[in-house]
Structure formats: C-alpha cells, structure tokens
C-alpha cells in the first residue's frame, strides 16, 4: 500500500472544432512526462507525473489502463477503511467526467 499522493495527467486530442480553426497539438506524452511547446517561441517545458495518459480513441482500453494504474489501489485502500480522494481538475470540456465515470454504454470490464 502506498501512502503518498499520486499525480496523473490525461490529455485529450484536438477536437473537430479546434481542427477547423487550424489548431495543432502543443504537447507530447511519454509515460511519466508531458512536454509542452510554446508554438510562437518554440520554447519547451517538461512536467513529470506519476502517470501520463493520452487519449487514443479507444475509451474502454484507456479507462481500463487508468483503473489498473490508479483506481484499483484507491478502491482497495477505501475498502480497508482508509480515507481516499480522487480529484479531477481541468477546463470545461477537458474530459474530467469522462475520466471519472466513462460512458454509460461502454463500461470497463472487470478483467
């Protein structure tokens, strides 16, 4: 059991509205690192997390990976009587509710 704070980031791809406006991705994800590039200056900043996730279009697979990496331990600790918290933070439309509860028509299997 880990008794420390775990920090994860999940990035969504550019949506159709953003594509029609000419937007291009400004970040790269690599397991525990997120690199953000300022497109005007080319300056890059790297941020390190416990887990980094990039939406790949397969919601069920993505949700299962997040559950395996984060959810299982949190649920186990809660069942053991420990206080646990899962916090989703971000801009409106960024995918917080999707990450926390998924889509009702595509539940994650218990495999």
């Amino acid at each position: 059991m880990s008794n420390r704070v775990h920090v994860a980031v999940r990035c969504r791809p550019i949506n159709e509205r953003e594509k029609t406006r000419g937007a291009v991705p400004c970040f790269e994800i690599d397991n525990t690192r997120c690199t953000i590039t300022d497109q005007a200056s080319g300056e890059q900043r790297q941020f390190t997390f416990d887990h980094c996730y990039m939406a790949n279009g397969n919601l069920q697979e993505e949700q299962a990976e997040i559950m395996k990496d984060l959810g299982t331990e949190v649920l186990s600790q809660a069942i053991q009587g420990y206080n646990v918290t899962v916090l989703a933070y971000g801009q409106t439309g960024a995918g917080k509710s999707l990450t926390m509860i998924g889509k009702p028509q595509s539940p994650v299997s218990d495999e």
Side-chain angles (χ1 to χ4, degrees), residues 18-105:
E18 293 164 334
K19 286 179 186 176
T20 60
R21 293 180 175 187
V24 294
C26 63
F27 59 88
E28 293 179 24
I29 300 293
D30 178 28
N31 288 335
T32 61
R33 189 181 349 219
C34 178
T35 303
I36 299 175
T37 303
D38 180 327
Q39 295 177 356
S41 69
E43 179 184 353
Q44 291 188 327
R45 298 205 47 196
Q46 290 186 348
F47 300 90
T48 302
F49 301 91
D50 294 302
H51 302 278
C52 293
Y53 304 97
M54 178 63 195
N56 65 16
N58 185 335
L59 180 61
Q60 190 162 348
E61 179 182 293
E62 295 166 22
Q63 293 294 92
E65 181 180 9
I66 293 170
M67 183 64 177
K68 177 181 68 73
D69 292 346
L70 301 168
T72 304
E73 184 177 352
V74 170
L75 287 174
S76 175
Q77 290 179 2
I79 290 168
Q80 293 174 40
Y82 292 96
N83 292 323
V84 299
T85 301
V86 176
L87 173 70
Y89 177 81
Q91 183 176 353
T92 300
K96 299 174 300 293
S97 296
L98 180 68
T99 297
M100 297 299 284
I101 60 175
K103 289 185 177 179
Q105 65 271 26

